[in-house]
Short mmCIF file of all heavy atoms in Angstrom, two decimals:
data_model
loop_
_atom_site.label_atom_id
_atom_site.label_comp_id
_atom_site.label_asym_id
_atom_site.label_seq_id
_atom_site.Cartn_x
_atom_site.Cartn_y
_atom_site.Cartn_z
N LEU A 32 -21.85 -31.03 33.23
CA LEU A 32 -22.69 -31.86 32.35
C LEU A 32 -22.12 -31.94 30.93
O LEU A 32 -22.80 -32.32 29.99
CB LEU A 32 -24.12 -31.29 32.32
CG LEU A 32 -24.83 -31.22 33.66
CD1 LEU A 32 -26.12 -30.43 33.55
CD2 LEU A 32 -25.11 -32.63 34.18
N ARG A 33 -20.84 -31.52 30.79
CA ARG A 33 -20.13 -31.51 29.49
C ARG A 33 -20.75 -30.54 28.49
O ARG A 33 -20.63 -30.70 27.28
CB ARG A 33 -20.04 -32.91 28.88
CG ARG A 33 -18.89 -33.75 29.47
CD ARG A 33 -18.62 -35.00 28.65
NE ARG A 33 -18.19 -34.73 27.27
CZ ARG A 33 -16.95 -34.42 26.93
NH1 ARG A 33 -16.01 -34.32 27.85
NH2 ARG A 33 -16.63 -34.20 25.67
N SER A 34 -21.45 -29.53 28.99
CA SER A 34 -21.95 -28.48 28.09
C SER A 34 -20.92 -27.37 28.03
O SER A 34 -20.36 -26.99 29.07
CB SER A 34 -23.27 -27.89 28.63
OG SER A 34 -24.29 -28.83 28.46
N PRO A 35 -20.64 -26.84 26.84
CA PRO A 35 -19.65 -25.75 26.76
C PRO A 35 -20.22 -24.45 27.32
O PRO A 35 -21.38 -24.11 27.08
CB PRO A 35 -19.38 -25.64 25.25
CG PRO A 35 -20.56 -26.23 24.59
CD PRO A 35 -21.19 -27.21 25.53
N VAL A 36 -19.37 -23.74 28.07
CA VAL A 36 -19.78 -22.44 28.62
C VAL A 36 -18.63 -21.44 28.44
O VAL A 36 -17.46 -21.83 28.37
CB VAL A 36 -20.15 -22.52 30.13
CG1 VAL A 36 -21.45 -23.25 30.34
CG2 VAL A 36 -19.02 -23.17 30.93
N MET A 37 -19.01 -20.18 28.38
CA MET A 37 -17.99 -19.12 28.31
C MET A 37 -17.49 -18.88 29.74
O MET A 37 -18.21 -18.33 30.57
CB MET A 37 -18.62 -17.85 27.73
CG MET A 37 -17.71 -16.64 27.70
SD MET A 37 -16.26 -16.81 26.67
CE MET A 37 -16.95 -16.61 25.04
N ALA A 38 -16.27 -19.32 30.03
CA ALA A 38 -15.75 -19.23 31.40
C ALA A 38 -14.94 -17.95 31.61
O ALA A 38 -14.95 -17.36 32.68
CB ALA A 38 -14.89 -20.44 31.70
N LYS A 39 -14.19 -17.55 30.56
CA LYS A 39 -13.33 -16.35 30.69
C LYS A 39 -13.57 -15.42 29.50
O LYS A 39 -12.79 -15.43 28.54
CB LYS A 39 -11.86 -16.78 30.72
CG LYS A 39 -11.43 -17.40 32.03
CD LYS A 39 -9.91 -17.51 32.08
CE LYS A 39 -9.48 -18.95 31.92
NZ LYS A 39 -8.09 -19.13 31.53
N PRO A 40 -14.63 -14.62 29.54
CA PRO A 40 -14.92 -13.75 28.39
C PRO A 40 -13.78 -12.80 28.07
O PRO A 40 -13.59 -12.42 26.91
CB PRO A 40 -16.18 -12.99 28.82
CG PRO A 40 -16.46 -13.35 30.21
CD PRO A 40 -15.62 -14.51 30.61
N GLU A 41 -13.00 -12.43 29.09
CA GLU A 41 -11.89 -11.51 28.86
C GLU A 41 -10.80 -12.14 27.99
O GLU A 41 -9.99 -11.45 27.37
CB GLU A 41 -11.32 -10.98 30.18
CG GLU A 41 -10.59 -11.96 31.06
CD GLU A 41 -11.50 -12.93 31.85
OE1 GLU A 41 -12.75 -12.89 31.69
OE2 GLU A 41 -10.95 -13.75 32.62
N ALA A 42 -10.80 -13.50 27.92
CA ALA A 42 -9.78 -14.19 27.10
C ALA A 42 -10.29 -14.43 25.68
O ALA A 42 -9.53 -14.85 24.81
CB ALA A 42 -9.42 -15.52 27.75
N CYS A 43 -11.57 -14.17 25.46
CA CYS A 43 -12.17 -14.45 24.15
C CYS A 43 -11.77 -13.36 23.15
O CYS A 43 -11.95 -12.18 23.40
CB CYS A 43 -13.69 -14.50 24.28
SG CYS A 43 -14.54 -14.60 22.69
N MET A 44 -11.19 -13.76 22.00
CA MET A 44 -10.82 -12.75 21.00
C MET A 44 -11.84 -12.69 19.87
O MET A 44 -11.57 -12.13 18.81
CB MET A 44 -9.40 -12.96 20.48
CG MET A 44 -9.15 -14.26 19.81
SD MET A 44 -7.47 -14.25 19.10
CE MET A 44 -7.35 -15.94 18.58
N LYS A 45 -13.00 -13.26 20.10
CA LYS A 45 -14.12 -13.18 19.16
C LYS A 45 -13.76 -13.70 17.76
O LYS A 45 -14.22 -13.15 16.76
CB LYS A 45 -14.66 -11.75 19.07
CG LYS A 45 -15.15 -11.22 20.41
CD LYS A 45 -15.84 -9.89 20.24
CE LYS A 45 -16.37 -9.39 21.57
NZ LYS A 45 -17.00 -8.09 21.49
N CYS A 46 -12.94 -14.72 17.71
CA CYS A 46 -12.53 -15.26 16.41
C CYS A 46 -13.64 -16.08 15.77
O CYS A 46 -13.59 -16.40 14.59
CB CYS A 46 -11.26 -16.09 16.56
SG CYS A 46 -11.49 -17.58 17.57
N GLN A 47 -14.60 -16.52 16.59
CA GLN A 47 -15.76 -17.30 16.12
C GLN A 47 -15.39 -18.72 15.69
O GLN A 47 -16.15 -19.37 14.97
CB GLN A 47 -16.51 -16.57 14.99
CG GLN A 47 -16.94 -15.17 15.37
CD GLN A 47 -17.72 -14.48 14.26
OE1 GLN A 47 -18.33 -15.11 13.42
NE2 GLN A 47 -17.70 -13.17 14.26
N HIS A 48 -14.22 -19.21 16.13
CA HIS A 48 -13.88 -20.60 15.81
C HIS A 48 -14.91 -21.56 16.39
O HIS A 48 -15.21 -22.59 15.79
CB HIS A 48 -12.49 -20.95 16.35
CG HIS A 48 -11.38 -20.58 15.42
ND1 HIS A 48 -10.29 -21.39 15.19
CD2 HIS A 48 -11.21 -19.49 14.65
CE1 HIS A 48 -9.49 -20.81 14.31
NE2 HIS A 48 -10.02 -19.64 13.98
#
Side-chain angles (χ1 to χ4, degrees):
L32 300 170
R33 278 193 63 81
S34 288
V36 289
M37 175 63 77
K39 286 192 253 161
E41 68 284 2
C43 172
M44 60 174 173
K45 300 188 178 177
C46 65
Q47 305 182 26
H48 274 222

